[in-house]
Amino acid sequence: MTATSTTTYASRGMRHRRPRRSVVPILAPLVIWAGAAGVLALWWSDTTSVIGPAGWLTGAGRITGLLAGYACAVLLALMARMPLLDHTIGTDQLARWHAFGGRCTISLAIAHTLLIIWGYSLSSHTQLVSQTSSLVLHYPDLVKGTAGFLLFLATGVLSARAARRRLSYETWHYLHFATYLAVFLTFGHQLSNGADFVGNRSAQAAWYSLFLGVAALVAWYRFAVPVRRGLRHRLRVSAVHPEAPGVVSVHLTGEHLDELGGEPGQFLRWRFLTRGLWWSANPYSLSAPAHPRFLRITVKTAGGHSAALARLTPGTRVWAEGPYGGLTADRRTAAKVLLLAGGVGITPLRSLFETLPGDVTLVYRARHADSLALRGELDAIAARRRATVHYVVDEPAGHSSPLTAQGLTALVPDLATHDVYLCGPPGMTQAAIHALREVGVPARRIHHESFAF
């Protein structure tokens, strides 16, 4: 086989259906900003005047504290895994909002702490150190609030890109549970010390409603639903098959799997109830359309968890959380579609290749020819729907089609008229997005999820 090969059939395609459009991606940011405006209105209505440097510093500290508290609720809501948000906005986009919001929240919390200490020290004519100890030791709930603040800082440091690369997904994931404790510890001091809440029953009721509502969403979608589904569907491993070097497919059976509602392109978080794996739930895409009795995921060895899946034995119990993600047919806006996969990124696109209606082209890139997982299935799907598949490998050198605007248009000449579904390693994804934008594909028609949570 040459480094670049193409399987082409006369295009027959499937009947194109009009995608469902959702207003949630537009409304969600508006609701978040409206809430922030409401928080500022609370401060404004409770502030009669601001006098002198101490007043300005204390006022700024109150504002940043209110916004930091509100942002905590927003952060938890974004990661509550609500289907309404997850399926319309997409897990990847929600994760980016969460990461940006986390940086803002920590910045606001630091600003709140420093401004309040400085403003109070000017008012009482004390040194910063003595004012700090006085606040922490003598104000209600501030010992707990300080502990929560330090937990927030620790989580922020560990979430920084440089630190994140040194942690496994499982360690990073469980460290994030510390944010629940941090929110709990800091909540009390907001009501007992915040000038905008003391004596203001309406503000207190609104704050309690906000946080109790978010807590209910987290408890239901992050904990109750996974347990209920685990008991309901009784998933088990039925077989493990090698697909390519370092790539295996895990076949699962269960009951009432049609109730999961998994669409092609989505993923679930899988918890394998066996030694060494039961404590972590990792995201893997469905590599075949869901069946009422069968599911399949295809996984590449990229760490301890994924490597252990190759050693699973039939009968192993499994809990699945989801489905999640918005890389589905509902994102489609054009009559023609390009599916662009890199490596094991073929897994969600394989399902879409089988099920997406209309004129669909698949470009599958891998390092070696023997790394092209599921190739037999892809050829069969292409023959059945009379579509085109381009297989592109990096070796032997000199034969590969580069991931550039010129390279892509050589494979798909009318690329600018396509929707593009993209899944692959981060470097490949970034290069592909740059090339697609250079070709003229609008950003709104480039659909991808990175799974970089």
Side-chain angles (χ1 to χ4, degrees):
M1 185 185 100
T2 60
T4 304
S5 64
T6 302
T7 304
T8 306
Y9 300 86
S11 178
R12 180 178 65 188
M14 300 179 180
R15 186 176 180 181
H16 177 60
R17 66 180 177 89
R18 187 178 182 86
R20 300 190 301 268
R21 309 302 296 168
S22 173
V23 298
V24 174
I26 299 173
L27 288 180
L30 294 177
V31 170
I32 292 172
W33 287 112
V39 169
L40 292 176
L42 172 63
W43 173 84
W44 181 266
S45 65
D46 198 49
T47 302
T48 56
S49 62
V50 180
I51 301 173
W56 284 104
L57 289 169
T58 304
R62 285 169 53 197
I63 291 173
T64 52
L66 286 169
L67 289 174
Y70 170 73
C72 287
V74 172
L75 289 180
L76 295 180
L78 289 177
M79 289 291 101
R81 299 177 185 171
M82 290 180 286
L84 178 65
L85 296 181
D86 196 275
H87 296 174
T88 55
I89 298 174
T91 306
D92 195 52
Q93 183 63 42
L94 289 174
R96 285 193 289 269
W97 289 2
H98 178 80
F100 174 75
R103 292 189 290 271
C104 292
T105 303
I106 291 173
S107 299
L108 287 168
I110 292 173
H112 164 69
T113 302
L114 297 178
L115 289 167
I116 288 294
I117 293 173
W118 193 2
Y120 277 35
S121 68
L122 289 180
S123 297
S124 59
H125 305 288
T126 58
Q127 297 296 320
L128 292 176
V129 174
S130 62
Q131 183 61 58
T132 301
S133 62
S134 175
L135 286 170
V136 172
L137 298 176
H138 300 112
Y139 278 65
D141 296 314
L142 261 182
V143 172
K144 293 189 297 183
T146 302
F149 171 67
L150 294 176
L151 273 177
F152 272 125
L153 285 183
T155 304
V157 170
L158 292 172
S159 297
R161 187 169 299 178
R164 171 71 180 88
R165 286 196 293 262
R166 292 175 170 83
L167 297 175
S168 67
Y169 169 81
E170 295 82 7
T171 301
W172 172 81
H173 175 74
Y174 277 99
L175 284 173
H176 262 61
F177 280 108
T179 57
Y180 296 137
L181 178 59
V183 171
F184 174 77
L185 290 172
T186 57
F187 180 78
H189 100 278
Q190 298 174 58
L191 298 179
S192 58
N193 295 298
D196 302 286
F197 295 108
V198 175
N200 189 337
R201 294 294 181 87
S202 298
Q204 292 176 13
W207 213 244
Y208 269 113
S209 298
L210 173 64
F211 278 86
L212 290 176
V214 170
L217 291 174
V218 171
W220 178 252
Y221 288 113
R222 295 293 297 266
F223 299 99
V225 169
V227 171
R228 181 174 63 88
R229 287 182 171 175
L231 298 174
R232 170 70 171 166
H233 299 302
R234 303 181 65 81
L235 277 166
R236 293 182 182 274
V237 174
S238 61
V240 179
H241 292 152
E243 301 287 359
V247 180
V248 298
S249 284
V250 180
H251 298 255
L252 306 109
T253 60
E255 301 175 2
H256 314 291
L257 299 185
D258 52 321
E259 297 175 7
L260 278 174
E263 296 185 39
Q266 291 188 311
F267 67 95
L268 294 91
R269 287 179 169 85
W270 305 88
R271 188 182 302 274
F272 297 89
L273 304 184
T274 187
R275 184 177 181 180
L277 296 177
W278 65 267
W279 59 280
S280 61
N282 285 33
Y284 300 116
S285 296
L286 294 171
S287 61
H291 184 276
R293 290 285 299 171
F294 309 101
L295 298 175
R296 186 185 71 178
I297 58 175
T298 301
V299 180
K300 180 179 180 179
T301 299
H305 188 279
S306 54
L309 300 190
R311 302 188 295 272
L312 287 172
T313 57
T316 300
R317 287 289 303 273
V318 184
W319 282 16
E321 304 174 26
Y324 301 116
L327 197 69
T328 65
D330 289 336
R331 293 284 186 91
R332 180 178 183 167
T333 60
K336 296 181 179 181
V337 174
L338 168 65
L339 305 176
L340 180 54
V344 79
I346 189 61
T347 53
L349 302 190
R350 182 259 180 243
S351 297
L352 288 167
F353 188 44
E354 180 176 350
T355 58
L356 269 178
D359 187 350
V360 179
T361 300
L362 172 65
V363 175
Y364 183 8
R365 306 179 64 90
R367 187 173 299 277
H368 306 283
D370 60 1
S371 298
L372 295 167
L374 308 175
R375 182 173 182 181
E377 295 182 19
L378 298 173
D379 286 337
I381 294 169
R384 186 165 61 251
R385 65 179 300 165
R386 299 184 181 180
T388 300
V389 184
H390 300 283
Y391 297 104
V392 181
V393 296
D394 295 334
E395 297 178 3
H399 296 279
S400 177
S401 175
L403 191 54
T404 61
Q406 295 78 10
L408 289 175
T409 52
L411 298 174
V412 187
D414 58 343
L415 179 54
T417 65
H418 286 60
D419 264 297
V420 180
Y421 287 75
L422 172 63
C423 191
M428 175 261 184
T429 299
Q430 294 172 5
I433 291 174
H434 177 77
L436 292 167
R437 298 291 288 119
E438 187 177 344
V439 168
V441 181
R444 69 179 182 277
R445 288 204 269 115
I446 302 175
H447 317 298
H448 68 98
E449 288 187 327
S450 69
F451 301 94
F453 305 140

